[in-house]
Amino acid sequence: MRFVFFLLMLMMSGELCLAAPTQGDLKKIQAQIKEEQQNHAALQQKAKDVAREVSSVQQQMIKAANDVQDFEDTLSRLEKNLQDLQEQQQLVQERLNLRQGQLVQLMSGLQKLALNPPETALFQPRSPVDNLRSSLLLKEARKPLQATAERLKQDLNMLGTLQAAIRAQAIQIKVASAQLAEEKEKMERLVKQKFILQAHFEGESLEAKKKAEQLGQQAQDLQDLLAKLDKERKRQEQIQKIAQAAHKQKPILSVPTIPRVKGAFEKSLGSLPLPARGRIVEEYGQPLPSGMKTKGITMQTRPGAQVIAPFDGVVLFAGPFKGYGNLLIIEHGDGYHSLLSGLERLDVGVGQNVLTGEPVGIMSTEGPQKLYIEFRKEGQPVNPGSWFASKKK
């Protein structure tokens, strides 16, 4: 069809002058048109099959990402419990160390009592007053000595209990770590599988990525970048509409399309999942040393934490950007965008569609694990905190 369209354009422009086509020429042209239509139909079917496979893999990735984050939560809880137990153990050990001198005195006092019980004091060659005083002092000392011995015994028992609990907690952490590693390996396989499926459209993706990188270099700040990306997206949509109208046939799908329901993002207020598991360490609107205020929220995550898409959308930008490190921008429709930065690795590319809960990258395993999250409406920051179902502090 492209060949025929190009041929017709040349004829209309006068650049190509041909004699009146013969019956044989017409049959050849009709055959070429039919072949082109068949090829297009075959490509459409292939694209639909790939789209279904990608969609299936995306659903598996969403579940796997949720499992990974659940294991991250479990491991964080176990590690916190272990830390609490170790702190308790340290306190008990310090208490025992402080009472070490008391223990020596206690043993010495008990030994004296055993060798010289109060009853024998009456027969020693001392004055009756001294004997009476010694007897009374030993009797009075016995109670506090026994109380000290009881406390030391309790501390020793507690220390043994804590040590057993620490050993048990360490085993649980080892098991949970192995399960988390297994889930992460599963996730890696799914990510690779998705990339392989989408490799059919590699040229298209590389071109979109290159264009996004150029816009990133030209943009002055995030607001400028969003404006440039939005303008480019609209330009690409217009080009596709013109091409579709010219060819008068359905376009070949490049990636699974996400239905755009008007107002869908706003309706999700208060129900979105946090992009990662962790705690909020910086709120929206918090004053900064520079005198400005934060335009998003910052989360402290585990090393290598899984990061997911907060809502359905299309990736507009994925890569380094001026002071933000790796930056991911997802368009959600109705002028809304989410921006995630601080990731060590990005697992999605420009032009790809992502679903709510789909993995998009991971945090650093060694450097700072600070995930920065911004939501914007028509390029202006809005408080992302109210969109999430829960916020852990």
Side-chain angles (χ1 to χ4, degrees), residues 163-182:
Q163 288 172 340
I166 287 172
R167 288 193 295 270
Q169 201 74 6
I171 292 172
Q172 290 184 45
I173 288 174
K174 186 176 180 180
V175 171
S177 297
Q179 291 174 323
L180 177 58
E182 185 178 340

Side-chain angles (χ1 to χ4, degrees), residues 369-380:
Q369 292 91 35
K370 298 279 185 74
L371 177 65
Y372 179 69
I373 307 160
E374 261 192 39
F375 282 174
R376 296 207 174 199
K377 166 72 170 175
E378 305 295 350
Q380 298 301 318

Side-chain angles (χ1 to χ4, degrees), residues 103 219 259 311 375:
L103 181 61
F311 194 70
F375 282 174

Side-chain angles (χ1 to χ4, degrees), residues 182-393:
E182 185 178 340
E183 288 299 324
K184 284 189 173 183
E185 286 180 9
K186 179 181 177 182
M187 176 62 67
E188 292 289 340
R189 291 194 296 270
L190 288 169
V191 168
K192 289 178 182 178
Q193 185 179 352
K194 183 183 175 185
F195 271 116
I196 290 172
L197 287 170
Q198 293 181 328
H200 295 81
F201 319 102
E202 185 176 1
E204 216 175 293
S205 297
L206 288 175
E207 185 179 347
K209 181 181 178 183
K210 185 178 179 181
K211 184 63 178 178
E213 288 175 351
Q214 291 175 349
L215 293 175
Q217 292 170 359
Q218 297 168 6
Q220 299 301 315
D221 52 31
L222 274 178
Q223 189 171 350
D224 186 32
L225 176 60
L226 283 171
K228 290 181 184 297
L229 290 171
D230 190 54
K231 184 178 179 180
E232 174 62 18
R233 179 187 60 77
K234 289 177 179 177
R235 189 180 74 85
Q236 291 295 334
E237 287 180 352
Q238 189 64 26
I239 290 173
Q240 290 177 5
K241 287 179 181 179
I242 293 172
Q244 183 180 348
H247 288 280
K248 296 186 182 301
Q249 57 187 6
K250 294 181 180 179
I252 297 172
L253 299 175
S254 58
V255 288
T257 57
I258 295 175
R260 289 181 176 275
V261 180
K262 188 171 180 60
F265 188 77
E266 291 183 342
K267 289 178 182 177
S268 68
L269 186 68
S271 64
L272 297 184
L274 281 165
R277 302 292 174 87
R279 59 190 180 88
I280 306 296
V281 294
E282 197 172 68
E283 293 281 3
Y284 175 83
Q286 190 170 320
L288 296 172
S290 62
M292 301 180 69
K293 294 184 178 180
T294 55
K295 298 177 181 178
I297 60 176
T298 302
M299 293 186 67
Q300 177 70 51
T301 73
R302 288 183 55 80
Q306 181 68 65
V307 182
I308 61 173
F311 194 70
D312 299 351
V314 180
V315 177
L316 293 188
F317 189 87
F321 182 71
K322 308 181 188 303
Y324 284 85
N326 277 331
L327 174 66
L328 181 66
I329 299 179
I330 306 174
E331 182 199 4
H332 303 295
D334 297 322
Y336 283 100
H337 300 83
S338 62
L339 299 85
L340 307 175
S341 73
L343 294 84
E344 180 179 69
R345 190 186 80 195
L346 297 173
D347 291 333
V348 291
V350 175
Q352 291 184 12
N353 290 294
V354 292
L355 301 174
T356 304
E358 184 175 344
V360 294
I362 60 172
M363 298 297 292
S364 170
T365 54
E366 297 180 357
Q369 292 91 35
K370 298 279 185 74
L371 177 65
Y372 179 69
I373 307 160
E374 261 192 39
F375 282 174
R376 296 207 174 199
K377 166 72 170 175
E378 305 295 350
Q380 298 301 318
V382 295
N383 187 356
S386 56
W387 253 270
F388 297 117
S390 63
K391 295 196 300 178
K392 294 183 180 180
K393 294 187 179 180

Side-chain angles (χ1 to χ4, degrees), residues 36-57:
E36 185 75 17
Q37 288 174 338
Q38 289 174 344
N39 289 339
H40 185 83
L43 286 172
Q44 268 195 318
Q45 185 57 50
K46 183 178 180 180
K48 287 178 181 178
D49 292 341
V50 172
R52 278 194 293 269
E53 287 187 68
V54 171
S55 180
S56 174
V57 171

